[in-house]
């Protein structure tokens, strides 16, 4: 079969949407760091809409910070790929053209720095996942991380986002170019502000005066991104390629829903995003909290409870009446921690989430969401639980999620159903789980390792609740622990 490419676009079936603009006339205006499936299903499709509406200055250069996979799959197909939007009603295919070229940072870091310094580039977007922010247990930059140590000594050959961004910002300053705007699209609270804070820590150590220059000249708006994007499978590749009539080596599978809320601070200019469904706001915080606490929090809950209950996908786990009721209880605990003056409507939000989780065609694997729990739970569950405990409000659903994470990590590799997932703290977790220890010792050591709620009021109460849940899970199983919090 021929490969998807600019040349083969005209041969696609009529019902497959495709770029209706001349890709050769588009200039690179955005460099995206972390060009995975999420970026391709989210930011790249909004930009595809902008380009289709006649904007020509906002093409994307995608960079992978580690793996060559995306570039290897997409470069032979002119960086085109198919977005497969799936629901109970069927599947809509759309070929996206907004990614103009792809780089692999470790292969040629100098080339990525040069690209970040192109005069046409005005925005750097990031989806590098929580762990690439390299935070230590206290939330600051982990200066002991080997890649940070490397970047501070090898300015021309960086490995981390900090090394790349600081080097590019300084070079642009040295040649009198306009600074770019840095837009984090990761699932972190105040993601722009968090990135700015950590980047300034790095810049301060790199050289005198660097941090204050960056602080004065570079904007770091925060944003909230939302679209569920399960990992692509071989059946997806085969099905999409068969429909297209040409081979797409790496289509992306997603749901119909998509949301992007961005703080409107782009001194160097931006696409007219508001014309394409993006909400531009002054302060993204309430949207972020709602999404992290209601969507991502319940996603992690479904993942760990689901794995421990033997469910492979979100829809399977959410179809289990005990887990469904548990998620309702989790939302009931989380909703009162959200600001009530931000014009949000949590009830409508959770109703919509219910329909999204029930989407039978998504096949989102719990093990995918279970990855990197130590990096995700702080903003999804721990912060909410601490707020509840400080108010003496019930938090048993929230605290059970933390115990389920620990139990699922412990069960991995031992219990076949618990699935396979990974965590940046795996080495430390393995040491903790090596000896059978009391729930008290296990929970205390895991909290110390992950830095959960460290130095925060309420940590002792939080730990005690998690210990009690872990004891129940170990003694009687996850079903019994769920029944306890559901009042059965
Ligand atoms: C998920 C998110 O894998 C996970 O941790 O919770 O990727 C989730 O699907 C997205 O944030 C939805 O916008």
């Amino acid at each position: 079969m021929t490969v998807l490419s600019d040349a083969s676009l005209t041969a696609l079936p009529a019902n497959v949407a495709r770029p209706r603009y001349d890709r050769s006339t588009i200039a690179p205006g955005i460099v995206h760091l972390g060009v995975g499936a999420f970026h391709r299903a989210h930011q790249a499709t909004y930009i595809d809409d902008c380009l289709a509406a006649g904007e020509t200055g906002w093409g994307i250069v995608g960079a992978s910070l580690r793996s060559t996979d995306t570039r290897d799959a997409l470069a032979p197909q002119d960086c085109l790929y198919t977005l497969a939007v799936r629901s109970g009603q069927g599947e809509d295919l759309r070929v996206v053209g907004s990614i103009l070229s792809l780089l692999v940072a470790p292969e040629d870091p100098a080339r990525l720095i040069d690209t970040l310094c192109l005069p046409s580039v005005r925005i750097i977007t990031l989806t590098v996942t929580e762990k690439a922010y390299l935070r230590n247990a206290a939330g600051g930059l982990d200066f002991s991380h080997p890649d940070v140590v490397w970047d501070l000594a090898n300015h021309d050959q960086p490995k981390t986002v900090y090394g790349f961004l600081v080097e590019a910002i300084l070079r642009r300053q040295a040649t009198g170019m306009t600074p770019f705007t840095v837009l984090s699209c990761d699932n972190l609270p105040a993601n722009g502000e968090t990135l700015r804070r950590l980047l300034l820590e790095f810049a301060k150590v790199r050289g005198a005066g660097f941090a204050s220059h960056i602080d004065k000249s570079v904007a770091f708006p925060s944003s909230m991104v939302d679209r569920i994007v399960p990992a692509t499978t071989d059946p997806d590749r085969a099905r999409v390629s068969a429909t297209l009539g040409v081979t797409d080596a790496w289509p992306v599978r997603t749901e119909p829903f998509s949301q992007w809320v961005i703080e409107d601070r782009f001194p160097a200019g931006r696409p007219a995003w508001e014309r394409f469904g993006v909400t531009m706001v002054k302060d993204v915080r309430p949207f972020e909290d709602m999404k992290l606490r209601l969507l991502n929090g319940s996603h992690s809950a479904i993942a760990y409870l689901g794995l421990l209950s033997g469910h492979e996908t979100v829809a399977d786990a959410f179809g289990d009446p005990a887990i469904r009721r548990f998620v309702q209880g989790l939302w009931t605990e989380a909703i009162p921690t959200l600001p009530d003056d931000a014009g949000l409507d949590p009830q409508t939000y959770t109703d919509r989430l219910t329909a999204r989780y029930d989407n039978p065609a998504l096949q989102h694997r719990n093990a995918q969401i279970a990855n990197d729990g130590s990096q995700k739970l702080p903003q999804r569950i721990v912060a909410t639980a601490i707020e509840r405990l400080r108010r003496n409000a019930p938090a048993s659903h929230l605290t059970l999620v933390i115990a389920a994470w620990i139990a699922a990590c412990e069960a991995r590799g031992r219990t076949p159903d618990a699935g396979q997932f990974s965590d940046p703290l795996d080495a430390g977790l393995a040491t903790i789980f090596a000896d059978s220890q009391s729930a008290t010792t296990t929970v205390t050591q895991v909290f110390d390792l992950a830095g959960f709620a460290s130095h925060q009021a309420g940590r002792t109460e939080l730990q005690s609740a998690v210990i009690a849940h872990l004891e129940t899970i170990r003694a009687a199983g996850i079903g019994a622990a769920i029944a306890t919090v559901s009042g059965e």
Side-chain angles (χ1 to χ4, degrees):
M1 224 194 259
T2 3
V3 169
L4 176 65
S5 68
D6 283 323
S8 62
L9 280 177
T10 48
L12 298 180
N15 59 353
V16 175
R18 71 207 70 176
R20 300 280 181 194
Y21 49 92
D22 179 357
R23 296 178 76 219
S24 67
T25 63
I26 308 295
I30 296 174
V31 176
H32 183 81
L33 306 180
V35 62
F38 183 78
H39 169 71
R40 295 200 276 138
H42 192 271
Q43 300 98 45
T45 67
Y46 286 93
I47 293 298
D48 196 50
D49 288 340
C50 291
L51 302 179
E55 297 224 29
T56 54
W58 296 110
I60 300 170
V61 178
S64 300
L65 292 184
R66 285 215 291 260
S67 148
T68 64
D69 297 359
T70 305
R71 192 274 321 273
D72 293 348
L74 299 193
Q77 46 193 62
D78 296 330
C79 301
L80 293 167
Y81 62 92
T82 314
L83 188 71
V85 179
R86 288 169 70 82
S87 70
Q89 280 73 55
E91 179 171 72
D92 285 326
L93 300 187
R94 159 185 184 174
V95 174
V96 177
S98 54
I99 299 183
L100 305 179
S101 60
L102 288 159
L103 306 177
V104 179
E107 274 181 8
D108 193 351
R111 182 150 168 234
L112 176 53
I113 297 173
D114 288 346
T115 308
L116 292 167
C117 292
L118 288 175
S120 64
V121 167
R122 287 179 281 162
I123 299 175
I124 314 302
T125 50
L126 296 90
T127 50
V128 290
T129 79
E130 298 87 342
K131 61 176 176 273
Y133 286 73
L134 303 173
R135 292 166 298 166
N136 58 27
L141 183 61
D142 182 3
F143 281 102
S144 69
H145 193 286
D147 291 351
V148 176
V149 174
W150 168 273
D151 279 13
L152 285 167
N154 298 277
H155 305 163
D156 297 345
Q157 303 284 311
K159 296 182 178 180
T160 73
V161 290
Y162 305 108
F164 279 109
L165 290 175
V166 169
E167 182 62 18
I169 292 168
L170 296 177
R171 287 197 198 177
R172 289 180 80 108
Q173 179 199 21
T175 50
M177 289 169 63
T178 318
F180 47 58
T181 299
V182 182
L183 177 62
S184 168
C185 301
D186 280 300
N187 279 322
L188 289 167
N191 49 15
E193 173 53 27
T194 302
L195 179 59
R196 186 191 75 94
R197 178 173 58 74
L198 296 164
L199 189 123
L200 293 183
E201 281 188 42
F202 178 89
K204 215 172 271 168
V205 176
R206 226 200 96 165
F210 293 166
S212 74
H213 162 68
I214 295 173
D215 198 20
K216 273 191 267 158
S217 59
V218 181
F220 293 83
S222 289
S223 77
M224 184 275 262
V225 294
D226 188 6
R227 194 165 211 186
I228 295 175
V229 187
T232 304
T233 61
D234 285 338
D236 290 329
R237 291 184 174 88
R239 191 187 61 253
V240 168
S241 299
T243 311
L244 295 180
V246 296
T247 303
D248 183 346
W250 205 341
V252 179
R253 172 157 53 106
T254 191
E255 60 176 339
F257 182 88
S258 185
Q259 190 180 16
W260 198 3
V261 184
I262 309 177
E263 286 178 353
D264 202 356
R265 289 187 283 120
F266 290 82
R270 63 166 176 81
W273 272 312
E274 63 278 11
R275 289 180 50 206
F276 310 103
V278 179
T279 309
M280 303 302 300
V281 297
K282 195 155 178 291
D283 180 10
V284 84
R285 192 65 191 241
F287 297 92
E288 246 169 24
D289 281 352
M290 182 159 80
K291 195 248 170 173
L292 284 167
R293 294 180 178 203
L294 299 185
L295 189 159
N296 295 113
S298 64
H299 237 182
S300 292
I302 291 168
Y304 300 121
L305 269 54
L307 287 172
L308 291 171
S309 309
H311 298 301
E312 199 190 338
T313 67
V314 169
D316 291 344
F318 200 55
D320 176 335
I323 295 181
R324 202 178 187 88
R325 198 163 43 244
F326 178 88
V327 170
Q328 297 289 349
L330 185 78
W331 285 335
T332 304
E333 289 175 7
I335 286 171
T337 70
L338 301 173
D340 52 15
D341 56 353
L344 304 175
D345 180 359
Q347 189 56 50
T348 308
Y349 191 79
T350 51
D351 287 350
R352 205 160 49 188
L353 270 183
T354 302
R356 293 170 69 190
Y357 290 167
D358 280 334
N359 183 340
L362 262 191
Q363 297 289 308
H364 196 187
R365 291 179 59 250
N366 290 319
Q368 181 184 341
I369 301 166
N371 285 315
D372 301 345
S374 67
Q375 314 292 302
K376 293 174 176 174
L377 291 189
Q379 54 277 2
R380 297 180 177 202
I381 298 287
V382 176
T384 326
I386 284 281
E387 274 184 43
R388 294 281 294 174
L389 292 170
R390 279 197 208 137
R391 296 180 200 177
N392 286 322
S396 58
H397 293 75
L398 290 156
T399 50
L400 177 54
V401 180
I402 305 172
W405 169 62
I406 297 174
C409 288
E410 201 170 12
R412 267 181 308 173
R414 301 185 189 177
T415 315
D417 280 350
Q420 287 304 330
F421 56 92
S422 66
D423 195 285
L425 299 185
D426 271 341
L429 288 170
T431 312
I432 296 172
F433 298 139
D435 305 314
S436 302
Q437 311 194 80
S438 68
T440 306
T441 309
T442 303
V443 170
T444 310
Q445 291 183 349
V446 171
F447 268 55
D448 286 343
L449 177 69
F452 283 174
S454 47
H455 311 299
Q456 285 188 35
R459 168 163 166 160
T460 313
E461 293 78 1
L462 179 65
Q463 264 186 220
S464 306
V466 175
I467 290 165
H469 290 311
L470 188 59
E471 278 167 354
T472 310
I473 298 174
R474 283 180 176 175
I478 189 68
I482 296 174
T484 312
V485 303
S486 302
E488 284 166 3

